[in-house]
Every structure is written in structure tokens, then in C-alpha cells.
Amino acid sequence: MFDRIAPVYDLMNRVMTVGLDGRWRKLTAASAVRPGDRVLDGCCGTGDLAVADKEAGASEVIGLDFSEEMLVRARRKAPDLTWIRGDLLQLPFEPDAFDAATVGFGIRNVDDLDAGLRELRRVLRPGGRLAILEITKPRGPLSIFYRLWFDALVPLLGKVLPGGSAYTYLPASVRRFPGPEELAQRLRAAGFDGVGFRRLGGGIVALHTGVAR
């Protein structure tokens, strides 16, 4: 499925977020990356967050994704970064290998969320920083617009674009994903301290941060 949506992935991100996803990725990178860090960007997709990590001062960035077609586009976008095909549930790195890790719009697609969070903790050194950017369910008046946008218009647009029909999975993937408070609890259980989150875009996305214990 992710191979199929790779050709329209960047376009759909811009459309779904009304062009705000670039700003959110920069905020995500800035919240975790310090100059000189070795950084892992998990579920990297076409590489925009990994590029933001580099721009935030990382000395080395490794982007990992299980979709080869996503990685093809990431390599074209930033050939100076390292791109690896792999699974977040079985990261091919030694413990304490990274100073920081980021995941943007990908953690909800991991088959076992808790196992994925534990893997991220394993490869971070003690004191290493994690930032997760993910779609969430807003509260209040915006929730009505959210349901119209994500449950109807986005899947319809996906069907129009070549290969984009897989975007019909998006509403279900968001509905079954834990809310920000529960995700924060799971991060603590996975071995992270100082866990917090902020809602962005009127509450349609959340940025979680934590420090490896």
C-alpha cells in the first residue's frame, strides 16, 4: 500500500495539512535535535522530516522505512543522507546508537505500537530525545470539520489521484490510534521521562516529546 501511494505522498501531505506539514516537521526536528547529534528518523517516508533533522544541526541522519518506493523518493530528495529499508519493530542498530529520534506521521502505522516505542528507546542513549508527530482526533467545533475532511474529502481526493486510492485507509487508522494522553502514557511505559505533548493545527495533530530514561 505504501509503495502505491509513494508517487502522491508529498502532494497529499500538503493538501491534507493545507501546507502546514513542513512547518510542523521543522518544529518536530527542533524539539529533539541538537547540533552534532546522530539522529534516526523512523518511518521516514519520502524524507521530509529527516531533511528537517539535518537542517536542525544533526551531524548524521539515518532515515528508515519499509517501503522501497518511499525510499526511492527520499534518496532523490537528499542523496547526502543515509536511507535504509527496515522495520521499526526490528531496528538494525545497536543499543544507545542515537542521540535523538523522530517519527512523523508514521507511528500509527506500526503493527505493534508499544513494541515500536520500546525499539526507539533501545536505540537511543540514556538522555536521548524522541519526538513523534502524528494525526490525532480534535475536540470541540473543529471535530465536525475534521470528520468531513478526513472521513470524506481526503479519501475522495485519494481516489482521483494515481495510486492514491490507498488513502481510504486514513480515517480508520486515525480512529484506532490512541489519543494524545494515552500515547503519552505509553511513552512513559516504554522508558521515556519528561513526556509531554502539544496540539498543533487546531488539534488535528499532536507533537509528543520525551527523554530516554
Side-chain angles (χ1 to χ4, degrees):
M1 180 182 72
F2 288 97
D3 282 348
R4 292 200 306 274
I5 66 175
V8 298
Y9 184 74
D10 286 344
L11 174 60
M12 286 295 290
N13 279 341
R14 306 299 178 268
V15 171
M16 287 189 299
T17 66
V18 199
L20 292 173
D21 60 302
R23 178 183 176 186
W24 295 338
R25 285 186 173 88
K26 290 180 180 179
L27 286 172
T28 302
S31 69
V33 178
R34 303 293 178 268
D37 278 354
R38 186 178 193 234
V39 181
L40 170 67
D41 183 41
C43 306
C44 67
T46 58
D48 284 348
L49 182 50
V51 171
D53 290 340
K54 182 66 174 180
E55 292 173 347
S59 63
E60 179 184 4
V61 180
I62 297 177
L64 177 140
D65 201 280
F66 58 28
S67 167
E68 182 59 33
E69 289 302 317
M70 292 284 189
L71 291 172
V72 166
R73 286 154 179 82
R75 294 184 184 108
R76 291 173 185 163
K77 195 174 292 182
D80 56 319
L81 303 186
T82 301
W83 306 101
I84 296 176
R85 187 177 185 186
D87 187 350
L88 193 76
L89 296 176
Q90 297 180 348
L91 292 172
F93 309 109
E94 295 296 320
D96 306 340
F98 295 93
D99 303 298
T102 57
V103 185
F105 303 120
I107 199 71
R108 78 179 186 282
N109 298 315
V110 175
D111 187 56
D112 186 332
L113 173 60
D114 294 320
L117 296 177
R118 289 193 297 269
E119 270 293 89
L120 288 166
R121 168 60 192 91
R122 182 184 67 82
V123 301
L124 282 170
R125 63 169 176 79
R129 298 164 301 278
L130 173 66
I132 294 176
L133 180 68
E134 190 52 87
I135 302 171
T136 190
K137 298 179 282 291
R139 301 169 177 169
L142 192 62
S143 63
I144 299 172
F145 168 77
Y146 174 92
R147 287 194 297 271
L148 174 64
W149 185 246
F150 280 96
D151 290 356
L153 296 182
V154 167
L156 179 62
L157 180 60
K159 289 179 180 179
V160 173
L161 295 171
S165 60
Y167 272 93
T168 55
Y169 91 98
L170 180 64
S173 73
V174 175
R175 280 194 296 269
R176 66 173 175 259
F177 191 69
E181 293 83 2
E182 183 181 344
L183 180 56
Q185 292 175 355
R186 293 192 180 199
L187 282 164
R188 295 183 189 102
F192 291 91
D193 289 330
V195 175
F197 66 87
R198 57 186 293 196
R199 296 175 183 269
L200 303 170
I204 64 171
V205 297
L207 170 56
H208 284 73
T209 55
V211 178
R213 187 178 304 138

